[in-house]
Amino acid sequence: MHIVTLRDPSAPVVAQYAPSAGMIGISLTDSGVELLGQRAGLDAYLAAGKTMGIPILYPWANRLGGRSYTVRGEEITLAADAFGVRTDPNGLPLHGLLAGYPSWRVMTESANELTAELDFAADSALLASFPFPHLLVVRVTLAERSLTVRSTVSAIGDKPVPLCFGFHPYLQLPGVPRAEWLIETPRLRHLLLDDHGLPTGETEEQPPIHEPLGHKAFDDGYDEVPEGAVFAVSGGGRRIEVHFEQGYPAAQIFAPAGEEVVCFEPMAAPTDALRRGGYRSANPGEPAVAVFSIRV
């Protein structure tokens, strides 16, 4: 497997990506200290879609409330054996189709930049579950202590492409007890969820968070996230920020109890938007761009 190593020209920050394993970020280190949660590792991600590092969740992030959805009058059903579809404990489709997907094509690779392309239209197995021909290009740049991930979706043909994808960066602070991690968020609109982790339609305003993680657990969704919003975790003299720079108006905070990770997930639309609506689309001739960055 080809592993791409990116080095920050101005700081001892190093990132690694595996394009042929689903264009997943597998490492982000500062002076040799690993800042991405490795969880069960890359092998488990390839074999069973068990997430780690920085996976892309595509074409939907989080879960769908069922195995069918309708877009502009066209009903699409995910077959029981549909390619790439994995489910949560309730049997709901989870995190899209691209976990470990091998057919990314590296377009450019340099000391601190990687660009890879996925021709969604070229794979009939992908189109069976998401019948919207398009190109997906992900460009990753490491500079000035920031890992910047820019995604561009370009429709092929005359069908707009729903934008419901996201990323799932697992962050950690080695050597600092989880209970002492300080988490920070902006003011947000909290989406109340049902027992299956799906939005109920009710919301509540949440003031900015600036508090120790302690023994709390999070699996919480938000919408109306402003461009430029910053989420952060800090402790032990280290701070990691996730910047929602462009095209990510929704977020999920995930910090499971008893696990040494916290995730601030940039999402192009809230959970289950592909079924419920409320998403943007990449229209023909108008590529859609989304950008987030992780600053160490």
Side-chain angles (χ1 to χ4, degrees), residues 101 128 137 201 286:
Y101 187 77
V137 176
E286 301 175 0

Side-chain angles (χ1 to χ4, degrees), residues 62 188-189 191 220-225 231 244 248-254 263-271:
N62 215 298
L188 296 167
R189 192 169 83 160
L191 305 178
D220 295 70
Y222 306 88
D223 68 358
E224 298 188 354
V225 179
F231 298 71
F244 286 47
Y248 291 113
Q252 191 86 4
I253 299 178
F254 181 60
C263 309
F264 305 114
E265 306 171 34
M267 296 168 59
T271 295

Side-chain angles (χ1 to χ4, degrees), residues 9-29:
S10 62
V13 180
V14 178
Q16 289 189 317
Y17 267 76
S20 62
M23 191 54 182
I24 182 173
I26 58 174
S27 177
L28 179 64
T29 62

Side-chain angles (χ1 to χ4, degrees), residues 133-145:
H134 65 281
L135 292 175
L136 169 62
V137 176
V138 175
R139 187 179 75 196
V140 183
T141 307
L142 184 61
E144 298 180 350
R145 306 190 70 85

Side-chain angles (χ1 to χ4, degrees), residues 13 37 43 57 64 93 104 111-112 119 156 182 193 209 233 238 254 269 283:
V13 180
D43 287 345
L57 316 178
L64 295 180
W104 288 82
N112 74 320
D119 184 354
I156 298 174
L182 183 69
L193 306 179
I209 295 175
V233 58
R238 192 183 304 277
F254 181 60
N283 295 313

Side-chain angles (χ1 to χ4, degrees), residues 4-294:
V4 177
T5 299
L6 306 177
R7 300 183 186 279
D8 187 333
S10 62
V13 180
V14 178
Q16 289 189 317
Y17 267 76
S20 62
M23 191 54 182
I24 182 173
I26 58 174
S27 177
L28 179 64
T29 62
D30 183 14
S31 299
V33 177
E34 181 60 68
L35 303 178
L36 296 184
Q38 299 299 299
R39 309 187 85 208
L42 184 58
D43 287 345
Y45 179 65
L46 290 170
K50 295 184 181 298
T51 46
M52 54 84 66
I54 311 173
I56 184 172
L57 316 178
Y58 196 94
W60 68 85
N62 215 298
R63 54 185 50 81
L64 295 180
R67 299 191 70 93
S68 64
Y69 60 96
T70 301
V71 177
R72 290 177 289 277
E74 179 182 2
E75 182 173 353
I76 298 99
T77 298
L78 307 178
D81 59 349
F83 176 85
V85 175
R86 295 178 171 87
T87 57
D88 72 3
N90 294 308
L92 299 179
L94 185 69
H95 291 342
L97 308 171
L98 298 184
Y101 187 77
S103 297
W104 288 82
R105 183 176 70 89
V106 174
M107 301 169 65
T108 63
E109 179 183 337
S110 68
N112 74 320
E113 184 173 300
L114 166 68
T115 306
E117 176 187 81
L118 174 58
D119 184 354
F120 212 89
D123 192 326
S124 59
L126 293 178
L127 287 175
S129 293
F130 192 70
F132 306 96
H134 65 281
L135 292 175
L136 169 62
V137 176
V138 175
R139 187 179 75 196
V140 183
T141 307
L142 184 61
E144 298 180 350
R145 306 190 70 85
S146 289
L147 181 75
T148 301
V149 181
R150 178 185 179 93
S151 303
T152 304
V153 177
S154 302
I156 298 174
D158 58 0
K159 294 175 70 173
V161 183
L163 301 174
C164 298
F165 67 95
F167 288 81
H168 202 315
Y170 287 90
L171 307 179
Q172 64 177 14
L173 294 173
V176 182
R178 178 190 189 275
E180 297 177 12
W181 296 3
L182 183 69
I183 61 171
E184 301 171 50
T185 77
R187 182 180 300 276
L188 296 167
R189 192 169 83 160
H190 188 201
L191 305 178
L192 302 186
L193 306 179
D194 64 18
D195 291 341
H196 288 175
L198 299 169
T200 65
E202 297 180 272
T203 65
E204 60 184 12
E205 295 301 315
Q206 179 174 294
I209 295 175
H210 188 279
E211 62 186 31
L213 182 55
H215 299 290
K216 293 184 286 292
F218 284 87
D219 194 0
D220 295 70
Y222 306 88
D223 68 358
E224 298 188 354
V225 179
E227 287 199 350
V230 178
F231 298 71
V233 58
S234 58
R238 192 183 304 277
R239 177 180 173 89
I240 308 172
E241 299 174 344
V242 181
H243 293 244
F244 286 47
E245 297 187 16
Q246 177 184 350
Y248 291 113
Q252 191 86 4
I253 299 178
F254 181 60
E259 191 170 347
E260 302 284 314
V261 294
V262 62
C263 309
F264 305 114
E265 306 171 34
M267 296 168 59
T271 295
D272 204 29
L274 192 55
R275 298 181 74 247
R276 302 170 185 232
Y279 52 78
R280 297 182 304 127
S281 295
N283 295 313
E286 301 175 0
V289 175
V291 184
F292 77 95
S293 62
I294 300 174

